[in-house]
Amino acid sequence: MAESAPLSPEAVADRVRREVDRALKRNIKGLEFLTSTRAEVGAMARDLVHREGTAMLWRYRPVVDEIYRRPLLIVSPPSNKGYIFDLAPGQSMVEYLLNRGFDVFNLDWAPPRRDEAHIAIADYVDRFIPDSIARIAEITGEREITLAGYCMGGTLATIHAALHAGNAVKNLVLFATPIDFDTMRLFQTWADQRHFDVDMVVDRLGVIPPELMLGAFDLARPANRTAGRLHLWTNMWNDEFVRSYRMFDRWAAETLPVPGEYFRDQIKKLMWANALVKNELEIGGRTVDLARITVPILNIIAQHDHIVSEAAAHPIMTLTGSTDREQLVSKGGHVSLVAGPAALRRLWPLIDGWLGKRSV
């Protein structure tokens, strides 16, 4: 192998100056980082149009004169705040979709109160989502919507679409959505029913604190926090990197508590019994049969997702009755599907094309 040519004295001097400059910036900006207030999030104006218990329905204000007829409802995962879809200008999926003429709603969640510990999966799929769809119909006059969901928000959207087939949902868009919970090995280990007494946890706590769920994520990647801090320090000189880090760090730190009964359902029915993929999940006395879903489906998977693998998300492509199904596998991780400049360039234009043909 040929040796590379030695650097000239000028090139060496330039590299040294660059590294010294970055080292100085790291120290100065490191102090700024430690003393700064929490990162500002949210790019687009929105209005709270419906509130029911822990459920909050937001409508983003249109920014173009002509919008598609069929509204888009995005369901957030109950454990996370919905502003991940709208972090900042240039890093906002909502901003992108609004600029392309979509009428965007977000079903978001407030932390449950102690007296809301009884909220179960049935409340999300038979009450919160249907009530939001009804409110959207009142506002827009449109009876048909595209239903989308991220992570467990996508699982809830899928369950709703199966239970309420033939009603308002005319398209289903899923981002990093777990369907086959047997394939989520680390979470299976964390919630191993031989050692994890979910009934005791729920009965004693009522509302499940976010630290419990964050522990599962830390188990999946034990060194993730440390590696992230080291990566931050290495790039402390880069204002754009630090800005993005602070926004994502705030979102992760603001993980929400969840109602105890929802958590019990999630562990017993989805994680232990894997009832959804087996068509054995019962909600309100009805069986959730995925074959009843016949609407067009767009299934979006992150190639390097350490939370929801392709094996966990792919079964939606074979278990439904839909004949219009498309799967996109995007580079990046669990969060990069719905936030960040990389998604803006690679993924969101594909979503725009798919949705545009099905929103008129």
Side-chain angles (χ1 to χ4, degrees):
M1 183 182 293
E3 294 184 3
S4 58
L7 295 173
S8 67
E10 292 80 9
V12 172
D14 182 65
R15 179 174 293 183
V16 170
R17 281 193 296 269
R18 186 166 62 249
E19 290 304 319
V20 170
D21 180 62
R22 288 181 177 180
L24 289 171
K25 287 180 177 178
R26 285 191 197 104
N27 282 278
I28 295 170
K29 292 183 180 296
L31 290 173
E32 293 176 356
F33 180 86
L34 292 172
T35 58
S36 60
T37 57
R38 66 178 186 172
E40 294 295 324
V41 293
M44 310 308 292
R46 61 179 187 166
D47 300 296
L48 183 64
V49 295
H50 180 67
R51 176 73 189 263
E52 181 186 2
T54 188
M56 300 182 296
L57 178 65
W58 297 91
R59 186 192 193 185
Y60 287 89
R61 298 175 190 171
V63 297
V64 295
D65 292 335
E66 293 188 11
I67 61 174
Y68 285 104
R69 179 183 65 82
R70 186 169 289 161
L72 169 65
L73 171 60
I74 305 173
V75 181
S76 302
S79 60
N80 295 102
K81 292 193 174 183
Y83 65 72
I84 190 63
F85 308 115
D86 184 40
L87 275 183
Q91 288 186 263
S92 166
M93 185 172 72
V94 168
E95 177 188 40
Y96 184 91
L97 294 171
L98 288 174
N99 281 325
R100 275 143 189 83
F102 294 98
D103 194 359
V104 182
F105 292 78
N106 175 218
L107 180 52
D108 200 8
W109 313 104
R113 301 185 310 268
R114 178 78 181 180
D115 62 354
E116 292 175 320
H118 65 279
I119 291 173
I121 284 179
D123 293 283
Y124 291 93
V125 301
D126 281 340
R127 183 157 63 99
F128 296 141
I129 293 178
D131 288 354
S132 295
I133 293 173
R135 180 65 180 131
I136 291 170
E138 290 177 4
I139 294 170
T140 65
E142 299 295 336
R143 300 292 171 181
E144 300 176 349
I145 69 158
T146 292
L147 183 62
Y150 171 49
C151 194
M152 279 302 299
T155 306
L156 296 174
T158 300
I159 295 170
H160 169 84
L163 289 176
H164 299 267
N167 291 346
V169 177
K170 299 305 176 185
N171 304 304
L172 184 63
V173 180
L174 304 175
F175 296 89
T177 293
I179 300 295
D180 185 351
F181 286 80
D182 271 355
T183 65
M184 302 177 73
R185 300 300 183 194
L186 283 170
F187 288 90
Q188 286 287 348
T189 301
W190 173 78
D192 191 325
Q193 64 186 104
R194 294 173 299 175
H195 315 294
F196 185 54
D197 190 342
V198 67
D199 290 324
M200 182 272 289
V201 171
V202 171
D203 292 343
R204 289 192 179 182
L205 296 178
V207 172
I208 306 302
E211 291 78 13
L212 195 62
M213 290 303 299
L214 288 172
F217 297 132
D218 286 342
L219 178 66
R221 284 194 171 182
N224 201 46
R225 291 176 188 266
T226 301
R229 287 288 176 173
L230 289 173
H231 196 43
L232 169 65
W233 175 250
T234 301
N235 291 277
M236 189 65 75
W237 57 274
N238 185 331
D239 287 340
E240 189 59 34
F241 179 91
V242 173
R243 176 171 166 268
S244 292
Y245 179 95
R246 292 182 66 232
M247 288 187 295
F248 283 112
D249 189 57
R250 172 181 170 179
W251 180 74
E254 293 182 341
T255 297
L256 297 170
V258 296
E261 289 305 319
Y262 162 79
F263 183 74
R264 196 193 317 258
D265 282 348
Q266 190 178 24
I267 298 299
K268 283 189 166 184
K269 295 181 179 181
L270 299 180
M271 194 69 68
W272 290 352
N274 201 22
L276 179 59
V277 79
K278 296 176 182 177
N279 284 340
E280 296 175 355
L281 178 63
E282 288 194 2
I283 301 293
R286 297 159 296 159
T287 300
V288 180
D289 183 0
L290 294 178
R292 296 189 66 220
I293 301 176
T294 58
V295 300
I297 298 171
L298 180 61
N299 190 38
I300 305 166
I301 297 172
Q303 186 175 7
H304 305 293
D305 193 333
H306 69 287
I307 297 174
V308 181
S309 66
E310 182 171 355
H314 178 73
I316 196 68
M317 299 298 292
T318 60
L319 296 176
T320 72
S322 174
T323 57
D324 182 357
R325 295 174 292 199
E326 184 173 346
Q327 181 166 285
L328 299 176
V329 180
S330 179
K331 291 182 179 180
H334 189 70
V335 181
S336 64
L337 294 179
V338 295
L344 174 92
R345 295 190 301 269
R346 294 194 298 259
L347 179 61
W348 297 346
L350 299 177
I351 297 172
D352 173 32
W354 191 91
L355 271 179
K357 292 182 289 187
R358 296 165 177 84
S359 299
V360 294

